[in-house]
Structure formats: structure tokens, C-alpha cells
Amino acid sequence: FYVTGEFDFEVALAKLASLPEPRPKVNDLIQYLTVRTLRRVPELNATFEDGRLYRHESVNLAIAVSREDGLLTPVLHGADRFSLEGIMKESRALIARTRENRLLPADLSGATFTISTLGVVKQVDPFTVVINPPQVAILAVGTLKQRPVIINGGFHARHTAHLTVSGDHRVVDGMTLARFLAVFQEELDSFSR
């Protein structure tokens, strides 16, 4: 099942633009915030195998990468060890190896959570994705674009994106997914300060 939220990235984008080159992009930020969120909502950093739930200490973040021959989900092992800049460097290197067909077998195993982004297709707002077993959840990130937002009673154009978290109802419930989105918002707000 699925829970969707809309997130305002306007202030975060300005902060990213103020960072030195090479500066992280919004996808790097979403990966970083997701890892921070999973540390606070460990129920979703888990796998369900042979009828047993395993919660993992380390976040092994799989990133869906589109190639001409299909989709692969290479894994950024120990993503919780990295700063925003570290995640940027590591995930970009992993994505490059994926597109250049230079992955090692270990690059495709051990994921505890996956992010799938279709933001390059501007018509995609919220969307849902199928969980990669044995993981118990996956995050879908829609297009970041300007939308009308009401702030203090007035309309403003803000860059927002819809994030949808899918969960395996055998082991997690709707409140856990909703809490993931609420904590993601707190992490986004903290970064944006």
C-alpha cells in the first residue's frame, strides 16, 4: 500500500545553490534526507525473508538507474556513513558504473531500502512503485517543479515534489509510512534552516 506527500523544496534549493562546486543536486539531497529519515524510522530499513523480519543497523540504499537495456538498482552500502557531499560523490560514482556496465556483483545485493526517481519526466507527479523483495518499503520521487502553494493566505509559486512511500502491509502499517513522510519533512526543514 502507498502513502503520498507533497514537499516544498524552495528553501532547500536555494541552500544547495549556495554550496561550493561541485554542489549536490536535489536527487543527492533526497538520498541524504532519506538515509537520515531511515535512521529515525528503522522499521522501514528492513527486509522480510522466510517469514522473519530483519531490521538492519546500516542503511544500504538502492538507487533505481535507468539504462537502455532496462532498470538496475545498484546499492550504496553503508549510506548512513556519508555526509551530503559524501552521498553525492558515492552515488554519482555508483550511477556512472551502472551506466558504463562496470558493476560488481556486490553492487547489486544487500539493499535495505530503494529510491526510484522519475523526475526527469516532467509529466510525472506522484507515482507508485513495487517494493523490491525482500525489502519492506520503497520511495518514489516525482517531478520537482513549480506549483501554486498557499502560504499565509496568499498564492506563491514554489518548487515542490510528490514523494510516495510503498510498504509491505505484512510487516508495516500506514502510520509507519506516514511517520516516514513526517520525519522526512523534519529532516528537509532542518537542512533548509
Side-chain angles (χ1 to χ4, degrees):
F1 66 103
Y2 316 95
V3 177
T4 300
E6 183 176 8
F7 294 83
D8 185 339
F9 283 89
E10 195 71 28
V11 177
L13 289 172
K15 185 167 183 180
L16 288 174
S18 73
L19 297 176
E21 291 286 356
R23 76 178 46 105
K25 296 190 183 326
V26 72
N27 282 340
D28 304 312
L29 177 62
I30 289 169
Q31 292 167 16
Y32 175 72
L33 297 176
T34 297
V35 169
R36 292 185 56 85
T37 300
L38 288 168
R39 300 298 293 158
R40 294 178 56 196
V41 187
E43 298 91 336
L44 298 187
N45 187 48
T47 53
F48 186 64
E49 303 171 70
D50 299 322
R52 289 193 59 200
L53 178 66
Y54 299 91
R55 289 194 180 147
H56 301 278
E57 193 65 32
S58 185
V59 177
N60 294 332
L61 185 66
I63 304 163
V65 179
S66 178
R67 301 182 343 160
E68 287 184 15
D69 61 345
L71 186 73
L72 288 177
T73 52
V75 182
L76 180 56
H77 291 273
D80 48 307
R81 298 174 293 145
F82 299 114
S83 64
L84 172 58
E85 291 76 14
I87 281 188
M88 173 191 73
K89 290 175 186 170
E90 295 293 326
S91 69
R92 287 182 186 181
L94 185 63
I95 291 167
R97 286 198 317 273
T98 303
R99 292 198 169 126
E100 295 162 3
N101 203 27
R102 295 186 299 112
L103 290 176
L104 301 173
D107 291 328
L108 293 170
S109 65
T112 59
F113 191 87
T114 300
I115 296 177
S116 180
T117 304
L118 286 176
V120 297
V121 181
K122 298 300 180 199
Q123 292 75 20
V124 176
D125 276 334
F127 72 102
T128 56
V129 285
V130 176
I131 300 164
N132 291 330
Q135 297 165 49
V136 302
I138 186 171
L139 182 66
V141 181
T143 300
L144 179 73
K145 63 183 174 184
Q146 281 193 328
R147 295 179 177 87
V149 175
I150 298 174
I151 301 173
N152 297 327
F155 282 99
H156 300 268
R158 307 281 287 196
H159 284 89
T160 71
H162 291 93
L163 276 59
T164 301
V165 62
S166 307
D168 183 338
H169 211 304
R170 294 175 299 172
V171 291
V172 297
D173 60 31
M175 282 307 296
T176 306
L177 300 187
R179 190 161 48 90
F180 176 90
L181 294 179
V183 171
F184 186 95
Q185 181 68 62
E186 291 172 6
E187 293 293 338
L188 176 59
D189 293 344
S190 177
F191 173 80
S192 300
R193 282 191 206 110

